[in-house]
Amino acid sequence: MINQVKTVVIAGCTGSMGQQTVQLIQNLRGFELVGGYAPHAIPQTSDYLVTNQLAELPQADIWIDFTVPSIVFQNIKYAITHGYHPVVGTSGLSTSEMHELQTLAATKELGGLIAPNFGLSAVLLIQFAKQAAKYFPEAEVVEMHHQDKQDAPSGTAIATAKAISASRTHANDYDEIETIPGARGGKVDGVPIHSIRLPGYVAHEQVLFGGPGEALTIRQDSFDRQSFMSGVRLACQKVTDLNTLVVGLENILD
């Protein structure tokens, strides 16, 4: 039996993550890159079509999105409406937008994946943090990214905070006085998140837990964007078998 080649379109193909994904798909057996989209791309056709117009993209099995928060919702809405299985690595989707996309995907009976992070170390960090929060409910998240990242906090940090909040049984509400507004970070479901943006960083996160007389720190580091490609590969291999739009790479791990 001959396995069918899966065709792929990459939105954000000119960006740093997009270029890594282009190389991945072009070298991945059983997949064919047929189109690339970027709002400011110069239209061209070489091995695949590159365009700045959504309507010009060829039909494909999979839509991979590494664009920017300001356009990701409309991109994925377009992809689902036109029958692409979305693999979304762009952060910035609100909870209500995710629910709307999940409802649309269910209507179309189309599976897809929204992943706050494709790094396996980041996915495992969230799983470990959920476990630790049962015993150390007092926690804070520190996330560090390169200076060009457009959103703060990161989608991974938000997912981590939500996972901690869902797992812990209680948390103390300390009286705080910020002499400088924002010094204590921003809170997601009661969990403080501190965002750092500096040259030289790629993607890093640590979760600090504190208890009486002891502390626990869980940390992950992505030193190169190539580290995310194992997760993207896995998502591409499994997304067409999904029948719902799921959130989190951990949901497709064996």
Side-chain angles (χ1 to χ4, degrees):
M1 181 177 178
I2 299 176
N3 293 326
Q4 183 179 357
V5 172
K6 296 176 183 178
T7 52
V8 179
V9 159
I10 299 174
C13 62
T14 59
S16 298
M17 282 296 293
Q19 291 175 34
Q20 291 276 355
T21 307
V22 166
Q23 294 179 29
L24 170 71
I25 298 302
Q26 288 183 322
N27 291 286
L28 189 58
R29 181 175 297 179
F31 292 83
E32 180 186 0
L33 180 59
V34 296
Y37 167 74
H40 305 294
I42 299 174
Q44 57 183 293
T45 301
S46 52
D47 295 333
Y48 61 99
L49 171 68
V50 175
T51 180
N52 53 27
Q53 301 295 320
L54 290 174
E56 293 180 356
L57 287 168
Q59 188 57 44
D61 298 307
I62 300 170
W63 175 294
I64 302 176
D65 199 290
F66 283 112
T67 55
V68 294
S70 60
I71 64 171
V72 61
F73 174 69
Q74 292 301 326
N75 280 359
I76 305 312
K77 189 173 183 179
Y78 177 91
I80 294 172
T81 301
H82 290 82
Y84 301 86
H85 291 270
V87 172
V88 187
T90 311
S91 55
L93 286 168
S94 66
T95 300
S96 62
E97 288 174 335
M98 286 187 186
H99 288 164
E100 183 175 340
L101 293 173
Q102 287 176 315
T103 300
L104 178 61
T107 300
K108 295 288 185 179
E109 298 182 343
L110 189 75
L113 174 70
I114 298 172
N117 199 304
F118 282 102
L120 296 181
S121 62
V123 173
L124 291 172
L125 176 142
I126 295 174
Q127 298 302 301
F128 297 156
K130 286 172 61 176
Q131 188 71 14
K134 298 175 183 178
Y135 308 98
F136 291 89
E138 308 298 331
E140 303 201 13
V141 178
V142 181
E143 58 96 352
M144 299 152 279
H145 282 80
H146 54 90
Q147 77 277 18
D148 296 323
K149 185 169 177 58
Q150 296 189 13
D151 58 320
S154 68
T156 305
I158 292 173
T160 305
K162 288 181 177 293
I164 291 170
S165 178
S167 293
R168 64 187 182 180
T169 56
H170 72 278
N172 293 320
D173 188 13
Y174 300 108
D175 293 329
E176 298 176 348
I177 298 176
E178 289 185 323
T179 55
I180 299 176
R184 291 290 293 117
K187 290 186 177 180
V188 174
D189 291 354
V191 179
I193 300 178
H194 310 268
S195 296
I196 295 169
R197 300 290 179 266
L198 285 172
Y201 285 76
V202 177
H204 317 261
E205 182 176 323
Q206 56 184 348
V207 186
L208 291 81
F209 296 91
E214 59 182 335
L216 170 68
T217 299
I218 304 173
R219 174 167 177 147
Q220 71 82 213
D221 297 279
S222 298
F223 300 108
D224 189 287
R225 290 179 177 85
Q226 185 63 34
S227 65
F228 304 120
M229 291 301 104
S230 57
V232 176
R233 180 189 300 108
L234 179 65
C236 290
Q237 291 168 338
K238 295 194 174 185
V239 69
T240 55
D241 295 327
L242 299 175
N243 52 23
T244 59
L245 180 58
V246 301
V247 180
L249 187 68
E250 66 274 11
N251 293 301
I252 64 170
L253 293 178
D254 293 329

